[in-house]
Amino acid sequence: MVKASSDQPVIIAGGGPVGVALAIDLALRNIASVIVEERRDGQFVPAKANMTNIRSMEHFRRWGIADRLRANDCVSPEVHRDVTFVTRLNAHLVHHFPKTYEAQDALAFAAETGEWAPNLSIERTLYQRAAELPQIARLFESRLVEVAQDAHGVKAWIETNSERRRIDGSYLVLATGARSALRRDQLNIRMEGAPDLGQAFSWHIRAPGLKHLWKAGPIASMVYFYNEDRSDDLLIPQNEDATEFVYYSCPMPAGFDGDKWEDVRALLFGAVGEAFEVEPISGGSFRLHSLIAPRFDFGRVLLAGDAAHTVSPQGGFGMNLGIGDAADLGWKLQAVIEGWGGDLLLPSYTIERREAVLLCQRGSEENQAMQAHSLVLEGIERPGPEGDAIRQQVSDLIVDKKTQQFRSMGGQLGYSYTKSPIILRDGSATVEPLFRTFTEAAVPGNRAPHRFLRDTSALYDHLGQGFTLLVLGDVDVESWTSAAARRGIPLTIFAPEDEADRAMLLDLYKTPATLIRSDHHIAWHGGREGDAGRVLKIASGNALAA
């Protein structure tokens, strides 16, 4: 039986972190959505993403959940937020990156610090926030099986148990993951990039006594095994008493069966250096890809997160790139639904996010290539001074080749939307985006430089849900408010009252006026002579409008 529901402005297929983040972003703009999710209410994936990086936490702050994620962090205080490289867990420490995932003090140039917390904590935080927002409807134990679109909207057919019904909406976003059948079968999209980085396995395990066998360095957030086996495996604590872990490997040893628990357990015992009590919770093998769709916008159907792009997990960018998608797409859907967004707005989503994703894919692929199979030297497990010397050589290689994996500030904050048709470039000198390093620059397309103000508020806290004009000098504000009103564009004016704040920001931004989008990217900068009408027309995707 087919039933039709009332219209929903946005239908979101997939209730993982990316889909729920998008729903939250839309709700805070008073745009209703419905999330279609196959899992039951309260069922979370416990072992997947772990790192919510600085850029994502800046969005979490905007959505009111940054501190809540920290409060929901379920990892034991016994676990040091470090990364270690060991031969065996009960043998030699090769290298130690202390406090890699622990940031107690805010950085001068960022509104937030990153947070290392398991996927269970991330999903719980997002679902708690979604449940507070009446604009979000959720259909659990449901699956979107068919979609059609025309000039007026989308029709989505949903299966819940044996019942089939139809939901009508204005737009549909597929956040259905890397193996999205809808992307493959409905849109017939061919992904491009590096299709096979290796065969991997990931197992969620319970091992109550494992932490007591941890002899090589502290109990760390992430421990890599660098030994003569060259198995490219690692271990990640997951819960409040350090009794559950993720055990991961890619590429697996040649001929290894990552679906066979007995083989995985034997490899794990070898990595630890002895047998111990352990039981599997869930897991298996999969192929790892670094792929991207040629575009993310298909009329009224859009892709987000892993449905649009996949990336090596070495660097922690998978979920975080999806959070960036949600932040970019949310305000653009608001604009087209409310009528002030033009024809170029949704196509700009593909152009902007592909630029960011490709930068992070390249860096993560480099990380993937620099694993134990590339960096381990013969004799790494030898005892005594001879072995110590070899382990020091490997430690030096780790610092040289692996530091970018844990310090990739450029991949987090340094990407720029240089090709976007809704960014107004003026010939200002640009900074080449680099994955490893980040150079701050207040130029169109970049993330707007951030500082905390003298009243301790974050600059980003003063940005509105549409555009914000940051006024630091002599600017004809009336021309901006009038131009925005004529087009129905929400515009916030922020002119810091504190003289020291204005001086500090002017030294950073260089120009009297900067137009900043709600996702923190600069759309335009200039002075009093700026043509407000033209700037807002282009920035809202209406460049081709009469």
Side-chain angles (χ1 to χ4, degrees):
M1 180 179 181
V2 176
K3 294 182 179 180
S5 75
S6 58
D7 290 352
Q8 296 284 349
V10 182
I11 303 167
I12 301 171
V18 175
V20 180
L22 175 59
I24 292 170
D25 190 89
L26 291 168
L28 295 175
R29 303 171 189 280
N30 203 33
I31 302 296
S33 66
V34 56
I35 300 171
V36 182
E37 171 54 41
E38 293 189 35
R39 291 175 290 173
R40 66 179 184 276
D41 191 4
Q43 181 184 4
F44 303 121
V45 177
K48 198 176 180 183
N50 287 278
M51 184 65 196
T52 306
N53 68 21
I54 291 172
R55 189 70 187 104
S56 293
M57 287 295 283
E58 289 181 335
H59 294 309
F60 275 34
R61 180 189 185 102
R62 184 162 58 89
W63 299 330
I65 56 176
D67 287 337
R68 185 180 297 187
L69 176 59
R70 296 186 178 100
N72 281 341
D73 181 2
C74 64
V75 172
S76 168
E78 300 172 86
V79 177
H80 294 250
R81 302 310 169 97
D82 304 348
V83 174
T84 60
F85 295 77
V86 306
T87 55
R88 314 280 172 177
L89 205 61
N90 64 1
H92 302 284
L93 177 66
V94 178
H95 190 80
H96 180 200
F97 285 110
K99 299 185 182 301
T100 309
Y101 301 124
E102 179 179 16
Q104 298 295 333
D105 300 318
L107 301 167
F109 53 80
E112 286 289 339
T113 58
E115 178 65 17
W116 181 266
N119 195 70
L120 175 67
S121 303
I122 297 168
E123 289 202 328
R124 179 176 289 138
T125 299
L126 288 163
Y127 269 82
Q128 286 173 347
R129 186 68 174 117
E132 297 168 351
L133 298 168
Q135 298 90 342
I136 301 174
R138 294 178 291 171
L139 296 177
F140 292 102
E141 300 181 78
S142 300
R143 187 166 62 96
L144 195 154
V145 294
E146 185 181 350
V147 62
Q149 66 171 313
D150 57 27
H152 305 291
V154 295
K155 296 176 174 59
W157 284 267
I158 312 296
E159 286 186 356
T160 304
N161 298 321
S162 58
E163 183 183 18
R164 181 180 171 97
R165 56 176 166 162
R166 195 186 85 203
I167 297 177
D168 296 342
S170 299
Y171 294 91
L172 169 69
V173 180
L174 299 184
T176 42
R179 300 178 181 179
S180 174
L182 288 164
R183 179 195 65 206
R184 181 185 66 244
D185 300 336
Q186 287 279 292
L187 298 180
N188 192 33
I189 295 173
R190 182 182 179 86
M191 304 291 277
E192 54 192 30
D196 191 357
L197 300 182
Q199 185 78 5
F201 71 67
S202 180
W203 282 84
H204 183 201
I205 62 173
R206 181 175 293 108
L210 179 56
K211 62 184 176 183
H212 302 300
L213 306 179
W214 217 294
K215 309 300 182 187
I219 302 176
S221 292
M222 185 176 288
V223 56
Y224 286 82
F225 300 109
Y226 273 34
N227 51 50
E228 301 284 3
D229 298 337
R230 293 179 171 86
S231 297
D232 290 309
D233 46 348
L234 59 92
L235 198 64
I236 308 171
Q238 291 289 295
N239 68 337
E240 63 279 352
D241 57 359
T243 59
E244 293 183 9
F245 304 84
V246 168
Y247 183 47
Y248 170 87
S249 177
C250 184
M252 298 186 301
F256 191 85
D257 187 352
D259 291 317
K260 190 175 180 181
W261 166 243
E262 292 76 9
D263 291 354
V264 172
R265 181 178 58 190
L267 192 69
L268 174 60
F269 287 171
V272 172
E274 58 187 285
F276 54 94
E277 180 185 349
V278 59
E279 62 176 313
I281 298 174
S282 62
S285 65
F286 54 94
R287 300 207 74 82
L288 192 64
H289 307 292
S290 182
L291 299 172
I292 188 168
R295 61 183 306 125
F296 305 165
D297 62 297
F298 298 86
R300 292 178 175 270
V301 179
L302 304 111
L303 307 179
D306 286 352
H309 43 75
T310 60
V311 62
S312 163
Q314 300 296 334
F317 280 92
M319 179 202 72
N320 291 292
L321 285 170
I323 296 298
D325 294 347
D328 188 281
L329 187 54
W331 76 269
K332 293 173 180 177
L333 286 171
Q334 172 198 6
V336 294
I337 289 169
E338 291 180 347
W340 54 270
D343 291 341
L344 295 181
L345 204 55
L346 291 183
S348 77
Y349 167 61
T350 287
I351 296 168
E352 293 183 351
R353 292 308 298 162
R354 272 182 59 94
E355 192 166 4
V357 170
L358 288 169
L359 174 69
C360 294
Q361 281 184 330
R362 289 191 295 268
S364 298
E365 288 168 20
E366 291 174 7
N367 293 342
Q368 182 66 38
M370 291 300 167
Q371 298 280 75
H373 61 273
S374 300
L375 302 179
V376 166
L377 299 178
E378 192 71 31
I380 191 172
E381 296 191 75
R382 290 175 190 166
E386 182 182 4
D388 290 340
I390 295 170
R391 286 185 285 277
Q392 183 58 54
Q393 291 180 58
V394 176
S395 176
D396 293 342
L397 286 171
I398 290 169
V399 171
D400 183 44
K401 303 297 185 181
K402 297 291 284 183
T403 298
Q404 79 163 21
Q405 180 172 329
F406 312 112
R407 306 277 192 247
S408 51
M409 199 62 72
Q412 296 183 53
L413 305 179
Y415 57 85
S416 182
Y417 297 149
T418 63
K419 300 177 176 63
S420 175
I422 62 171
I423 299 295
L424 289 93
R425 286 165 293 278
D426 58 1
S428 301
T430 59
V431 177
E432 180 186 2
L434 298 173
F435 182 72
R436 179 181 293 200
T437 58
F438 165 60
T439 302
E440 207 170 35
V443 297
N446 282 20
R447 165 188 168 274
H450 177 271
R451 291 294 186 273
F452 284 95
L453 306 183
R454 279 161 53 94
D455 64 3
T456 74
S457 67
L459 172 61
Y460 288 173
D461 295 344
H462 298 275
L463 304 184
Q465 293 287 28
F467 292 100
T468 297
L469 188 70
L470 175 62
V471 177
L472 301 173
D474 184 17
V475 176
D476 181 8
V477 173
E478 173 61 29
S479 69
W480 286 90
T481 56
S482 297
R486 285 195 299 272
R487 290 195 168 273
I489 296 174
L491 177 69
T492 299
I493 305 296
F494 178 53
E497 296 181 1
D498 185 272
E499 184 176 342
D501 285 339
R502 286 198 310 275
M504 177 265 295
L505 291 174
L506 186 58
D507 183 60
L508 187 63
Y509 278 82
K510 309 301 183 186
T511 58
T514 303
L515 189 67
I516 305 175
R517 307 177 343 185
S518 60
D519 63 352
H520 307 152
H521 282 267
I522 296 175
W524 168 90
H525 67 179
R528 182 178 180 85
E529 70 284 356
D531 183 343
R534 174 179 175 271
V535 170
L536 289 171
K537 180 179 180 181
I538 293 173
S540 60
N542 284 286
L544 299 179

